[in-house]
Amino acid sequence: MSVKIEKIRVICTAPEGINLVVVKVETNQPGLYGLGCATFAYRHMAVKHVVEEYLNPLLVGRDAEEIEELWQLMHQNAYWRNGPIENNAISGVDMALWDIKGKMAGMPLYQLFGGKCRAGIPVYRHADGRDLAELCENIQRFQEMGIRNIRCQCGGYGGESYGTLPQGTPRGANPGVYLDSRKYIRDTVKLFEGIRNKIGHEMNLVHDVHERIAPAEVIRLAKELEPFDLFFLEDPVNIEQTEWLRRLRQQSSIPIAEGELFNNPKEWKSLIAEQLIDYIRVHISQIGGITPARKLAIFAEQFGVKTAWHGPGDMSPLAHAANIHIDLAAPNFGVQEWSGIEPPNVVIQDLKGPHGALLEVFPGLPEFEDGYVYANEKPGLGVELDEKEAAKYPCENTVTVWTQTRRMDGALQTP
Ligand code: MG
């Protein structure tokens, strides 16, 4: 008997103060359902609406086993395609269908992708600090946990916190996160020099530019960072300016990772085919889920480009698990960002919600141990959702301020 989709529901929850969007696809088979991540933390109600009002009626009664057919159907149904709200909504359903497929097969998803080609997933963590001393303390704390790859930032992505108007801004400037890009470049170069002097060369170091400075400035930063042997420079240019990567490539040997904001194959095809980047790091729900992410990983493999999927706090454990399953089976996997999930014994900086709540809402999330993450061996994604626990942490609709990044003259700069 074929497995039919009976209902598609959305559950929104914020166990750590970040809005997470989960899609549940229910079938006509007793006890058989799938879960997927559709998290677009800053537009969660819009995604919920697309899933429940458009994708649910489109897919009810359809065969849950036909993942490719249903993905194409969702992707083309609204005529206009590749937008972040639509792609996240599609991702929620897509991951849930893969979860169902794995449960039907009685296998963890990585088995359906060809099986493991590595035993564990090396991750990079985020170390931050107000100054070099604090940052190095945090790096050493991660080193003691077995971490070998670490992203190093000073005061987030540089600049002042929201609402602080620094000296030198014009009269009447709007509130924002102000960044003096020249100072940021000077401070960042000094920071990496300091880190290498203090901790030596054992750790692999990453720095995230977060698209916050002009492309011409990135070239200077990359050249000045070369002596400090970075693992990669993350998202150096904004997605509208990726032609600059060709020039960056010509002028610097620094490895480049780009793509956490990508939406559309047009944005990555030529960057990969021309080998202008070393690591492709999309946010997999943002491109439409596991189906397109698997295709992207295989495409990148042909050109010697590695994967380093986005793994921030503003995605659910279901999406982290999806990353890990793809990583386990991808020969061209590079490294996995790991910021959103902490075992209960680890102290979390800047946590907004109660500690450990995420683990209670999402039992079964991948385990971290000694620098590596491991998927559990349960069928499908292997992550559950406790809906009663989830209901204790309702999402909030607030105005997002961290994205209001500004140059010193008050003009907005991509965040
Ligand atoms: Mg990043």
Side-chain angles (χ1 to χ4, degrees):
M1 187 181 155
S2 64
V3 178
K4 300 283 187 206
I5 295 173
E6 277 205 338
K7 190 171 188 179
I8 304 178
R9 295 196 288 126
V10 174
I11 300 105
C12 294
T13 180
E16 290 191 341
I18 297 170
N19 296 334
L20 303 177
V21 184
V22 176
V23 169
K24 186 169 189 175
V25 174
E26 296 170 351
T27 73
N28 62 346
Q29 305 296 308
L32 181 61
Y33 60 87
L35 297 166
C37 183
T39 299
F40 183 173
Y42 316 106
R43 294 291 184 268
H44 75 283
M45 290 302 290
V47 176
K48 179 178 161 68
H49 196 76
V50 169
V51 173
E52 292 185 340
E53 301 299 324
Y54 298 99
L55 301 185
N56 178 59
L58 179 67
L59 299 187
V60 163
R62 294 298 309 261
D63 189 336
E65 291 174 86
E66 294 177 354
I67 300 177
E68 187 65 39
E69 151 73 13
L70 299 184
W71 193 92
Q72 299 295 344
L73 181 66
M74 291 188 284
H75 180 60
Q76 295 173 26
N77 187 251
Y79 185 51
W80 281 281
R81 53 190 182 269
N82 288 315
I85 292 165
E86 194 82 18
N87 279 0
N88 273 288
I90 291 170
S91 162
V93 177
D94 177 75
M95 285 189 200
L97 294 175
W98 278 104
D99 195 29
I100 289 169
K101 184 80 87 187
K103 286 173 178 171
M104 290 175 70
M107 290 179 187
L109 275 189
Y110 69 80
Q111 293 288 14
L112 303 190
F113 303 155
K116 278 184 197 174
C117 58
R118 58 185 49 77
I121 298 304
V123 295
Y124 75 89
R125 299 294 312 266
H126 298 170
D128 205 328
R130 280 163 300 186
D131 52 30
L132 176 67
E134 194 180 75
L135 175 62
C136 286
E137 264 173 46
N138 285 323
I139 294 172
Q140 272 153 4
R141 191 169 57 84
F142 283 117
Q143 217 170 357
E144 283 157 20
M145 290 163 59
I147 290 291
R148 295 161 195 89
N149 312 291
I150 191 96
R151 192 191 78 170
C152 304
Q153 311 288 133
C154 201
Y157 304 108
E160 308 287 334
S161 53
Y162 180 85
T164 311
L165 274 181
Q167 282 247 312
T169 47
R171 198 170 58 225
N174 280 309
V177 178
Y178 276 82
L179 181 73
D180 177 341
S181 57
R182 286 162 54 85
K183 181 176 183 309
Y184 159 77
I185 291 172
R186 281 194 309 273
D187 290 351
T188 304
V189 173
K190 223 185 286 169
L191 189 75
F192 276 83
E193 186 181 16
I195 297 167
R196 281 301 184 208
N197 285 340
K198 206 147 183 176
I199 69 158
H201 279 261
E202 248 175 63
M203 294 283 271
N204 291 327
L205 305 182
V206 166
H207 180 68
D208 191 353
V209 179
H210 224 267
E211 308 191 344
R212 282 196 182 181
I213 57 175
E217 294 177 310
V218 168
I219 294 173
R220 187 155 62 79
L221 174 65
K223 288 168 81 161
E224 292 189 27
L225 285 176
E226 275 184 15
F228 312 118
D229 184 23
L230 262 64
F231 187 77
F232 60 59
L233 194 62
E234 181 168 320
D235 288 307
V237 299
N238 66 40
I239 57 172
E240 295 84 357
Q241 298 287 349
T242 52
E243 294 85 355
W244 280 84
L245 292 173
R246 193 168 292 114
R247 209 175 295 187
L248 175 58
R249 205 54 154 176
Q250 284 159 358
Q251 298 200 36
S252 167
S253 65
I254 204 159
I256 301 165
E258 177 86 26
E260 71 182 50
L261 274 93
F262 284 164
N263 312 272
N264 181 333
K266 290 290 279 180
E267 291 164 331
W268 62 70
K269 261 162 66 178
S270 66
L271 299 187
I272 291 172
E274 291 181 51
Q275 289 145 332
L276 297 179
I277 57 174
D278 298 278
Y279 297 87
I280 178 76
R281 42 176 290 89
V282 302
H283 185 101
I284 66 170
S285 70
Q286 173 64 25
I287 66 163
I290 290 171
T291 296
R294 283 263 300 142
K295 292 176 185 177
L296 171 53
I298 292 164
F299 174 66
E301 184 193 345
Q302 310 310 307
F303 296 93
V305 173
K306 293 181 176 176
T307 66
W309 306 137
H310 192 213
D314 43 7
M315 62 191 243
S316 80
L318 292 152
H320 287 286
N323 281 344
I324 298 300
H325 283 286
I326 298 173
D327 295 342
L328 281 169
N332 57 324
F333 162 79
V335 72
Q336 179 60 56
E337 183 178 28
W338 188 254
S339 64
I341 298 171
E342 298 286 1
N345 58 334
V346 173
V347 177
I348 307 174
Q349 292 172 318
D350 305 326
L351 183 69
K352 291 182 203 132
H355 194 180
L358 197 67
L359 297 138
E360 280 156 32
V361 174
F362 294 96
L365 45 83
E367 258 178 58
F368 169 82
E369 192 192 326
D370 197 25
Y372 290 95
V373 168
Y374 302 88
N376 65 45
E377 294 298 317
K378 291 186 190 127
L381 281 167
V383 177
E384 270 306 318
L385 173 73
D386 184 329
E387 290 195 46
K388 266 198 197 135
E389 283 296 315
K392 290 183 188 169
Y393 307 104
C395 292
E396 273 179 47
N397 254 337
T398 51
V399 172
T400 306
V401 295
W402 74 266
T403 48
Q404 298 179 34
T405 321
R406 294 182 186 277
R407 296 174 204 147
M408 293 301 283
D409 66 359
L412 282 162
Q413 162 73 41
T414 48

